[in-house]
Amino acid sequence: RIEAIWALDPDARAIEFGDAAFSWGELRAAVSLIDAALTAAGVGHGDAVGVLLRNRPGMLAALLALLLTGRCIVSLSPLQPGDELRRELRDLRLDAVIGESGDWKVDTMRVAEEAGIVGLCLPDGGLGPLRKVGHVGPSSGKRGNQRTDIALEILTSGTTGKPKRIRIGRATLADAILDGTKGENVSATPSLKTTPTVMFAPLMHVSGLFGALLSIYEGRPLVLLEKFSVEQWVEAVKRHRVRFASLPPTPMSMVLEAGVPREDLASLIAVRAGTAPLPPETQRRFEATYRIPVLVQYGATEWMGGLAGWTLEDH
């Protein structure tokens, strides 16, 4: 489906990030480059690749490269202290790690080399070119092909205790994407959409990763925000005339507190609220202020996203 999507119009815009824009063809080319670099290093089907996931175009290309070639994505936080990252590199038995230049400190490169981990460096905020860092020989990771049925290893949200690293199977991921399309009325025939998804949910969290994959599956471009900003979010909604948007409880409160004019959000038909419990008073205030229905959703990392939620018809 994704191969069909980005072949429809390779010159059409797929990703907007800050002042930069990248086409579907450029995204596809970046995916091919990442795949080729991993293959040349002996990192193949079923091998485990850590990705230091920021909301940046190169990270999205890395996720697609791993998914489409049957490798296992191991989500790594770029926000954790360096000592903790190096501990993970020692313990997780990874075959490769993909990050940006700021991630590859001298100590991190040394640990990767000692562990036999292939390191790939993406340009900050871009899609290419790639450069190899750290271990220079073939991957000497110890997992082999024992993860061929696992698409993703990711930390749970930690609502019931310390976050735990769990495995998401390929079948679970596929079912989640197909379930997501039911709520979006996605046609079986691939087509490119013009209205983008404005995404600020972190790719290292299941909400961001699932939202990005669902948008690409739909043929919908992405406006990537590194984190939520009222100004940037409102500007993107206005400029692209966005009809549906995600707005978890804290960002929803921030929009209200900022006094965003109702006309700035006039294109929105509804907003979806998930990731945390939504206080009823916040929902009532938002709906009264903007006359926009709030569709509450509930999900879990273990099920790769949504479990239950309101539709516009329910509301």
Side-chain angles (χ1 to χ4, degrees), residues 155-239:
L155 290 172
T156 59
S157 59
T159 52
T160 60
K162 184 179 179 180
K164 296 168 284 292
R165 192 171 289 277
I166 61 168
R167 297 168 183 162
I168 304 293
R170 294 191 172 278
T172 299
L173 176 57
D175 286 346
I177 294 294
L178 291 175
D179 283 346
T181 64
K182 295 174 184 175
E184 302 289 336
N185 297 317
V186 176
S187 170
T189 303
S191 63
L192 294 184
K193 311 299 186 289
T194 54
T195 305
T197 297
V198 181
M199 202 191 88
F200 52 84
L203 283 173
M204 64 180 177
H205 185 272
V206 72
S207 60
L209 193 148
F210 175 78
L213 292 178
L214 181 59
S215 292
I216 290 170
Y217 186 91
E218 294 176 350
R220 189 175 300 282
L222 282 157
V223 175
L224 278 178
L225 305 181
E226 289 206 74
K227 61 181 180 179
F228 182 75
S229 155
V230 172
E231 181 180 359
Q232 291 178 341
W233 182 78
V234 171
E235 190 277 332
V237 168
K238 286 176 62 178
R239 179 159 50 90

Side-chain angles (χ1 to χ4, degrees), residues 21-35:
F22 304 92
S23 68
W24 289 104
E26 288 174 313
L27 178 59
R28 183 180 190 179
V31 166
S32 296
L33 284 173
I34 294 169
D35 174 37

Side-chain angles (χ1 to χ4, degrees), residues 253-271:
S253 294
M254 292 169 67
V255 169
L256 287 165
E257 290 165 8
V260 174
R262 182 185 296 178
E263 56 269 23
D264 286 359
L265 306 183
S267 65
L268 287 172
I269 293 174
V271 297

Side-chain angles (χ1 to χ4, degrees), residues 24-307:
W24 289 104
E26 288 174 313
L27 178 59
R28 183 180 190 179
V31 166
S32 296
L33 284 173
I34 294 169
D35 174 37
L38 290 169
T39 300
V43 182
H45 189 80
D47 287 344
V49 181
V51 188
L52 286 149
L53 286 167
R54 291 180 172 84
N55 281 24
R56 295 183 178 178
M59 296 296 118
L60 188 56
L63 289 175
L64 291 172
L66 300 177
L67 279 176
L68 298 180
T69 57
R71 297 176 174 101
C72 175
I73 299 164
V74 180
S75 174
L76 300 174
S77 170
L79 306 178
Q80 63 183 315
D83 288 346
E84 184 63 22
L85 172 60
R86 289 186 282 275
R87 184 196 62 77
E88 286 200 311
L89 296 186
R90 294 186 186 98
D91 295 347
L92 289 176
R93 298 165 62 204
L94 302 172
D95 293 284
V97 170
I98 300 173
E100 292 192 347
S101 59
D103 299 318
W104 290 109
K105 310 294 186 188
V106 173
D107 288 348
T108 304
M109 291 175 62
R110 176 179 53 78
V111 170
E113 288 176 351
E114 292 172 353
I117 296 172
V118 173
L120 293 180
C121 185
L122 291 162
D124 295 352
L127 288 178
L130 283 166
R131 63 184 176 89
K132 198 170 177 182
V133 298
H135 183 65
V136 294
S139 165
S140 56
K142 301 175 183 178
R143 292 201 182 196
N145 291 321
Q146 63 183 8
R147 296 289 178 263
T148 53
D149 60 335
I150 302 299
L152 171 68
E153 290 188 3
I154 190 170
L155 290 172
T156 59
S157 59
T159 52
T160 60
K162 184 179 179 180
K164 296 168 284 292
R165 192 171 289 277
I166 61 168
R167 297 168 183 162
I168 304 293
R170 294 191 172 278
T172 299
L173 176 57
D175 286 346
I177 294 294
L178 291 175
D179 283 346
T181 64
K182 295 174 184 175
E184 302 289 336
N185 297 317
V186 176
S187 170
T189 303
S191 63
L192 294 184
K193 311 299 186 289
T194 54
T195 305
T197 297
V198 181
M199 202 191 88
F200 52 84
L203 283 173
M204 64 180 177
H205 185 272
V206 72
S207 60
L209 193 148
F210 175 78
L213 292 178
L214 181 59
S215 292
I216 290 170
Y217 186 91
E218 294 176 350
R220 189 175 300 282
L222 282 157
V223 175
L224 278 178
L225 305 181
E226 289 206 74
K227 61 181 180 179
F228 182 75
S229 155
V230 172
E231 181 180 359
Q232 291 178 341
W233 182 78
V234 171
E235 190 277 332
V237 168
K238 286 176 62 178
R239 179 159 50 90
H240 293 289
R241 304 294 299 165
V242 173
R243 291 165 60 81
F244 287 90
S246 173
L247 204 60
T250 298
M252 188 179 295
S253 294
M254 292 169 67
V255 169
L256 287 165
E257 290 165 8
V260 174
R262 182 185 296 178
E263 56 269 23
D264 286 359
L265 306 183
S267 65
L268 287 172
I269 293 174
V271 297
R272 299 183 178 92
T275 74
L278 176 64
E281 60 272 18
T282 302
Q283 177 174 354
R284 285 193 289 267
R285 184 181 167 201
F286 186 88
E287 291 182 334
T289 301
Y290 296 107
R291 300 288 190 264
I292 298 171
V294 175
L295 309 180
V296 180
Q297 298 177 314
Y298 172 78
T301 305
E302 292 83 348
W303 283 269
M304 192 60 204
L307 287 173

